[in-house]
Amino acid sequence: MSFNTKSSALLRCWGSRFWRRRRRQQLCPQEGPFWSCFGGARPRPILDMSYSRHFLDFQGSSIPSSMKKLVVTKLSSNFREAVALRQDAPVPLPGDADLLVRNRFVGINASDINYSAGRYDTSVKPPFDVGFEGIGDVVALGLSASARYTVGQAVAYMTPGSFAEYTVVPAKQAVLLPSVKPEFLTLMVSGTTAYISLKELGQLSEGKKVLVTAASGGTGQFAVQLSKKAKCHVIGTCSSDEKAGFLKSIGCDHPINYKTENVGAVIKRDYPEGMDVVYESVGGKMFDLAVNSLATKGRLIVIGFISGYQNPTGLQPVKAEMLPAKLLKKSASIRGFFLNHYLSEYKIAMEHLLTMYESGELVCEVDLGDKSPEGKFTGLESVFRAVDYMYMGKNIGKIVVELPNSVNSKL
């Protein structure tokens, strides 16, 4: 970013504002807060008090002092009970190495309710922010962050607190994008989870048989496509003929609608030697089926168990008592995958996925809720509907909520 005349003027303005405030502190009586001497209006909260270290309003835009955001107020696996919409949360200012992003699209993940239930970090107590990923425009940034970014650029990020109109994002965690498109958002968590887990744990090679459960969902769609690019034979489970049609369109060799077919019977009949790799995200009975479907030296990759997330324990019962014997009999293995443990691989994965999408090699299916009972998911208020929609198993692809421009902002 060039340091122009307008930048210098802004910094001088904020510097003088800072010293005026310091002077007011000296003039005010000690018995009350200093703003009580000047009409009683409390000043806007600032995260970093070094005003001169921030660039704001380069394009004459107006960043409001307050915003909407979702906050976990009670630990619960019922998202509607756990989360409240705040109408007047202060818009934060970025620190020296941060960006302030006005969110345009935010992603919905099955694990959002694990987060609202406090399962990831038991030491964190409400209230706390929620939402894992977003995409939007840079509207403010710190001095160090300006070495790489400028106001107006499109970025995506994976940072807690995305269910808000504005989010502070560490610049080193942002991904620079050519434009703000919801398709890019599908790659941040869902795409990278599939890419890294299959690369690190799948040992895919030509001719291997891969079973993907919940194959038409946000992560499943990428597991299908990446397995096909490794020249594997892919079987995908889904819950409707429409989803089966989508799976065929992205290369799935054998979609199985579990509402109309017995998945276990189909696999036993058509693939008697079993599955070389199972990419599993459902849990419960589907997990048991996955274990029973493994081939000799087969690998079961567990990236989630959505069927149990809404339970108080977060789990559905599985037949674990026979698990050691079943694995031993087939020299098979089960590996868990949690994206946060593979962040060293994240940047390379994102770069590769972005290249594949932009070259037309990868389909990034987005579900904005157009077919949901109340229509498209628009605004933070619709995040609740979007989570419900996901747990009803209605989505095809990644569920994304669009955030319209704030009425208080010209951005």
Side-chain angles (χ1 to χ4, degrees):
M1 173 184 296
S2 61
F3 195 82
N4 56 29
T5 304
K6 188 171 182 181
S7 305
S8 301
L10 284 169
L11 295 183
R12 287 195 299 272
C13 174
W14 290 321
S16 62
R17 187 186 304 170
F18 172 75
W19 290 112
R20 285 200 302 272
R21 177 170 292 188
R22 289 290 301 273
R23 179 61 176 163
R24 288 174 182 173
Q25 287 178 299
Q26 296 171 359
L27 294 175
C28 281
Q30 296 299 315
E31 61 270 15
F34 73 87
W35 57 82
S36 62
C37 299
F38 300 91
R42 188 185 188 97
R44 174 182 172 186
I46 300 298
L47 293 185
D48 185 337
M49 295 302 291
S50 303
Y51 290 86
S52 62
R53 296 170 67 188
H54 299 92
F55 299 102
L56 296 174
D57 299 341
F58 269 155
Q59 301 173 341
S61 300
S62 174
I63 299 175
S65 60
S66 63
M67 67 176 183
K68 294 179 182 179
K69 74 172 181 177
L70 297 187
V71 178
V72 175
T73 58
K74 170 187 175 183
L75 296 181
S76 173
S77 57
N78 184 320
F79 193 81
R80 288 182 178 273
E81 289 183 359
V83 178
L85 174 63
R86 284 193 59 185
Q87 301 279 354
D88 57 352
V91 174
L93 287 179
D96 180 62
D98 296 332
L99 311 174
L100 180 65
V101 177
R102 183 178 68 77
N103 294 314
R104 298 277 297 281
F105 298 95
V106 294
I108 304 297
N109 294 281
S111 50
D112 285 328
I113 67 172
N114 284 334
Y115 198 67
S116 71
R119 292 172 182 150
Y120 289 147
D121 186 352
T122 56
S123 66
V124 177
K125 305 300 180 186
F128 55 85
D129 297 342
V130 66
F132 294 128
E133 57 184 339
I135 181 172
D137 307 302
V138 176
V139 295
L141 66 165
L143 183 58
S144 295
S146 70
R148 182 180 176 191
Y149 293 94
T150 62
V151 167
Q153 288 180 320
V155 295
Y157 63 88
M158 184 178 67
T159 301
S162 68
F163 291 165
E165 291 179 324
Y166 295 86
T167 301
V168 167
V169 179
K172 64 181 180 180
Q173 295 179 18
V175 177
L176 188 61
L177 300 173
S179 61
V180 176
K181 292 175 62 177
E183 286 80 6
F184 291 124
L185 187 56
T186 68
L187 303 175
M188 295 302 295
V189 174
S190 300
T192 55
T193 293
Y195 183 98
I196 300 172
S197 62
L198 290 173
K199 177 176 177 288
E200 297 294 322
L201 309 178
Q203 301 175 31
L204 302 182
S205 60
E206 185 173 355
K208 295 295 185 182
K209 297 181 291 294
V210 179
L211 171 65
V212 180
T213 63
S216 63
T219 304
Q221 65 170 324
F222 295 112
V224 169
Q225 295 179 79
L226 294 172
S227 296
K228 284 302 298 178
K229 291 190 179 302
K231 299 182 179 180
C232 298
H233 181 88
V234 181
I235 303 95
T237 68
C238 60
S239 60
S240 72
D241 291 340
E242 182 184 8
K243 292 182 178 184
F246 166 71
L247 290 177
K248 288 181 180 179
S249 75
I250 60 173
C252 183
D253 297 289
H254 191 165
I256 303 175
N257 180 353
Y258 65 80
K259 293 287 185 70
T260 59
E261 299 181 84
N262 184 308
V263 179
V266 171
I267 291 176
K268 188 174 182 179
R269 180 193 69 209
D270 295 347
Y271 307 97
E273 294 182 358
M275 298 290 113
D276 299 299
V277 177
V278 180
Y279 186 87
E280 216 301 86
S281 61
V282 178
K285 293 180 179 179
M286 188 61 78
F287 173 85
D288 293 332
L289 184 152
V291 171
N292 294 334
S293 300
L294 287 171
T296 300
K297 298 183 181 179
R299 298 169 294 285
L300 171 55
I301 303 172
V302 177
I303 63 115
F305 32 91
I306 188 173
S307 64
Y309 290 169
Q310 291 179 303
N311 295 339
T313 63
L315 297 168
Q316 282 276 43
V318 297
K319 298 177 181 178
E321 64 276 2
M322 293 297 294
L323 187 57
K326 289 179 179 179
L327 296 177
L328 178 62
K329 182 179 179 180
K330 296 181 178 180
S331 294
S333 63
I334 300 177
R335 296 287 300 273
F337 178 86
F338 188 51
L339 183 59
N340 285 5
H341 296 152
Y342 290 84
L343 294 181
S344 61
E345 308 294 323
Y346 187 85
K347 183 178 179 181
I348 294 175
M350 269 301 298
E351 290 175 352
H352 192 188
L353 289 167
L354 283 168
T355 300
M356 291 173 68
Y357 171 68
E358 292 183 304
S359 64
E361 298 178 53
L362 194 67
V363 174
C364 297
E365 188 69 15
V366 174
D367 193 331
L368 287 163
D370 294 297
K371 295 183 179 180
S372 67
E374 297 178 49
K376 186 177 179 179
F377 302 131
T378 304
L380 288 171
E381 298 86 350
S382 67
V383 168
F384 300 96
R385 286 199 298 117
V387 171
D388 291 342
Y389 186 72
M390 176 177 55
Y391 277 91
M392 290 188 290
K394 299 296 185 181
N395 61 296
I396 296 179
K398 175 82 174 185
I399 300 178
V400 174
V401 174
E402 182 174 4
L403 304 187
N405 290 0
S406 171
V407 295
N408 298 319
S409 175
K410 301 175 186 176
L411 294 166

